Amino acid sequence: MKIALMDSGIGLLAATAAVRRLRPDADLVLSLDPDGMPWGPRTPEDLTRRAVAVADAAAAHRPDVLIVGCNTASVHALPTLRARLEPAIPVIGTVPAIKPAAAGGGPVAIWATPATTGSPYQRGLIEDFADGVTVTEVPCFGLAEAVEHADQTAIDAAVAAAAALTPEDVTTVVLGCTHYELVSDRIRAAVQRSGFPPLVLHGSAGAVAAQALRRLGEQPAPTAEASGTLTVLLSGREGTLPEPALAYDEGRLLQAISPAR
């Protein structure tokens, strides 16, 4: 079984690690775009062109499924990628976990990039899945970029700034950018209020990994032999995990249990 994941940068690490934990025997292909990142500031048309190129690079390795491990790319490029690759290669998008977060009753905060915060896409998800729940959209200035470069000082500053915009009575935080899942412990520590119940965080990595297996008709096998290989594509060129990836548990997990191709 071969599973491909794509993103502009290391935001795909959370979903990749989730896949690796569920199926240590699966071969993984990670397709990143260091030549074109970041994707966030690009126009939808330009972003879609970059995403198609990254997806095509992954598709050349004949994966059984492709995970778009990026919220922004899922918003803008998913229909194009599906039209291009399916049904030969199922394409799994990443959607902020607003529905399960709202099911807890709230109040809910959605941490997302400034471009996504207040967007028609995110507002539509809130209207569809969080009717009657108090939801605060929190723009996280510079957080994805700081995580991408493993800049610890900048991460702390961006998390603190977003926490200051988060209402004190929030019980649940949706991590609306895949990069944020890599620093979830720091987000929890910044938002958790003394005397309140433990904060609930909702990311997308686990759900995306599980959906990929369902589309393939496969079951989780976390005790399988860790025989899966790891192929890394950098704007189409074979390479290695970017150095900042190894600053995170998810990146170190991949390096430790995924033999080089």
Side-chain angles (χ1 to χ4, degrees), residues 111-119 138-145 180:
W111 283 34
T113 63
T116 300
T117 300
S119 66
V138 178
C140 301
F141 295 94
L143 181 53
E145 293 81 2
Y180 303 169

Side-chain angles (χ1 to χ4, degrees), residues 39-42 47 70-76 94-98 110-126 136-141 144-145 174-178 180:
W39 284 352
R42 293 180 178 274
L47 187 155
C70 172
N71 295 93
T72 302
S74 296
V75 170
H76 296 297
T94 300
V95 177
I98 294 173
I110 303 172
W111 283 34
T113 63
T116 300
T117 300
S119 66
Y121 166 75
Q122 184 160 289
R123 290 282 168 85
L125 291 176
I126 294 170
T136 301
E137 296 180 271
V138 178
C140 301
F141 295 94
E145 293 81 2
V174 174
L175 303 178
C177 170
T178 53
Y180 303 169

Side-chain angles (χ1 to χ4, degrees), residues 55-241:
D56 283 351
H61 288 256
R62 298 184 177 276
D64 299 301
V65 66
L66 172 66
I67 294 172
V68 183
C70 172
N71 295 93
T72 302
S74 296
V75 170
H76 296 297
L78 195 58
T80 298
L81 295 177
R82 284 180 168 157
R84 188 177 185 85
L85 298 177
E86 291 185 339
I89 302 174
V91 179
I92 311 298
T94 300
V95 177
I98 294 173
K99 183 177 182 178
V108 173
I110 303 172
W111 283 34
T113 63
T116 300
T117 300
S119 66
Y121 166 75
Q122 184 160 289
R123 290 282 168 85
L125 291 176
I126 294 170
E127 291 174 6
D128 289 343
F129 300 120
D131 186 38
V133 176
T134 300
V135 176
T136 301
E137 296 180 271
V138 178
C140 301
F141 295 94
L143 181 53
E145 293 81 2
V147 172
E148 179 68 34
H149 296 100
D151 184 331
Q152 305 305 320
T153 300
I155 291 170
D156 286 341
V159 168
L165 299 175
T166 304
E168 290 193 1
D169 62 346
V170 157
T171 62
T172 306
V173 174
V174 174
L175 303 178
C177 170
T178 53
H179 281 80
Y180 303 169
E181 297 189 51
L182 301 178
V183 292
S184 59
D185 288 347
R186 291 158 84 163
I187 292 172
R188 182 187 302 279
V191 178
Q192 180 68 58
R193 313 299 186 189
S194 178
F196 282 78
L199 188 72
V200 178
L201 298 184
H202 282 276
S204 302
V208 165
Q211 175 65 6
L213 292 183
R214 280 194 294 270
R215 288 290 298 271
L216 294 177
E218 297 283 352
Q219 296 295 321
T223 61
E225 181 183 358
S227 58
T229 60
L230 178 67
T231 300
V232 178
L233 305 174
L234 304 174
S235 298
R237 308 176 299 273
E238 288 203 30
T240 59
L241 281 175

Side-chain angles (χ1 to χ4, degrees), residues 16 20 23-24 26-28 226-231 241 251-261:
T16 305
R20 176 54 80 228
R23 289 301 297 254
D27 293 336
L28 302 181
S227 58
T229 60
L230 178 67
T231 300
L241 281 175
R252 292 190 291 269
L253 170 72
L254 294 177
Q255 185 185 55
I257 69 172
S258 293
R261 181 177 177 275

